[in-house]
Amino acid sequence: VVELTGTLGLAWLFSADCPAPEALYSGFFHAVSAFCTAGFGLYADSLSGFRQSAAIQLVIHVLMGLGALGFLVIHDLVAGNLRGAGGRREKLSMQSRLVLKTSLCLAVGGTILVWLGNRLLPTAGGPLGQQWLDASFQALSAATTTGFYTLDIGHLPMATLWVLTALMFIGASPGGSGGGIKTLSLALLWAYLRDHLAGRADTVV
């Protein structure tokens, strides 16, 4: 369902630049690639040709994000919006809450750090909105270990490359399609270090 919705959205957006059959195929290919966090594309420069298209990048954002969250979290989110027994909403599991909080922190923090790192580029000027769009796309692509890019990775400052490397090392979430040590591992490690440094005998989340 997610991939089909993404296919239709991307095909409609791609149709502004190419014939309908080509747009449909490209939309299907990139929707599957993004949701599976595969990063394979049909263009030699990945998605650099669509750098200024906020709409295309937004669809890719959503597909990468959902693919990286994992099916357990997606199930929890869907079930949480449905009425359970007695008409009550189901609560999110502990795993889902940790994954969502950690993923949000990585996405927001990564975007800010990538934006700050890109300020070192000779071409760091330009519209502020485009700068944040570039930063958010690269940060989420790294955090989900997808690998799409809209900027020339080879020309990014070393500070930005370190941020992207850290995001890729952490990666996606358990049950998701991305790699890395997983967001849940990071959250549990942080909780353990926090309680251990505070002198607590047990780790409590």
Side-chain angles (χ1 to χ4, degrees):
V1 170
V2 173
E3 290 173 352
L4 177 60
T5 304
T7 295
L8 296 176
L10 289 175
W12 179 66
L13 294 168
F14 286 147
S15 64
D17 299 312
C18 57
E22 182 181 339
L24 182 61
Y25 177 70
S26 183
F28 169 72
F29 190 98
H30 287 93
V32 174
S33 183
F35 184 69
C36 295
T37 64
F40 295 115
L42 298 177
Y43 308 106
D45 58 353
S46 188
L47 297 176
S48 297
F50 306 100
R51 181 188 170 200
Q52 296 181 332
S53 175
I56 290 177
Q57 290 191 45
L58 177 61
V59 176
I60 298 293
H61 264 81
V62 173
L63 290 168
M64 292 190 301
L66 289 176
L69 281 180
F71 295 105
L72 294 174
V73 178
I74 294 175
H75 175 271
D76 259 11
L77 289 172
V78 173
N81 287 314
L82 299 176
R83 296 292 181 179
R88 295 181 301 176
R89 292 186 183 276
E90 299 292 332
K91 291 184 178 181
L92 291 177
S93 67
M94 176 62 71
Q95 172 176 323
S96 294
R97 295 201 299 273
L98 285 175
V99 164
L100 290 171
K101 289 178 180 178
T102 307
S103 299
L104 181 61
C105 289
L106 290 174
V108 174
T111 296
I112 295 173
L113 291 175
V114 169
W115 180 79
L116 290 173
N118 285 352
R119 299 294 295 168
L120 302 174
L121 283 170
T123 57
L128 188 60
Q130 183 65 53
Q131 295 178 29
W132 283 107
L133 183 62
D134 292 337
S136 65
F137 188 85
Q138 292 307 145
L140 190 63
S141 182
T144 59
T145 69
T146 303
F148 283 134
Y149 61 89
T150 56
L151 297 174
D152 187 348
I153 303 296
H155 288 85
L156 293 179
M158 187 58 66
T160 300
L161 294 179
W162 275 111
V163 173
L164 296 180
T165 300
L167 290 172
M168 287 188 289
F169 176 75
I170 298 167
S173 303
S177 52
I181 65 169
K182 307 301 182 184
T183 55
L184 192 60
S185 299
L186 177 69
L188 295 177
L189 178 61
W190 173 262
Y192 170 78
L193 290 174
R194 177 199 63 195
D195 290 346
H196 179 73
L197 292 175
R200 303 187 184 99
D202 299 316
T203 298
V204 180
V205 177

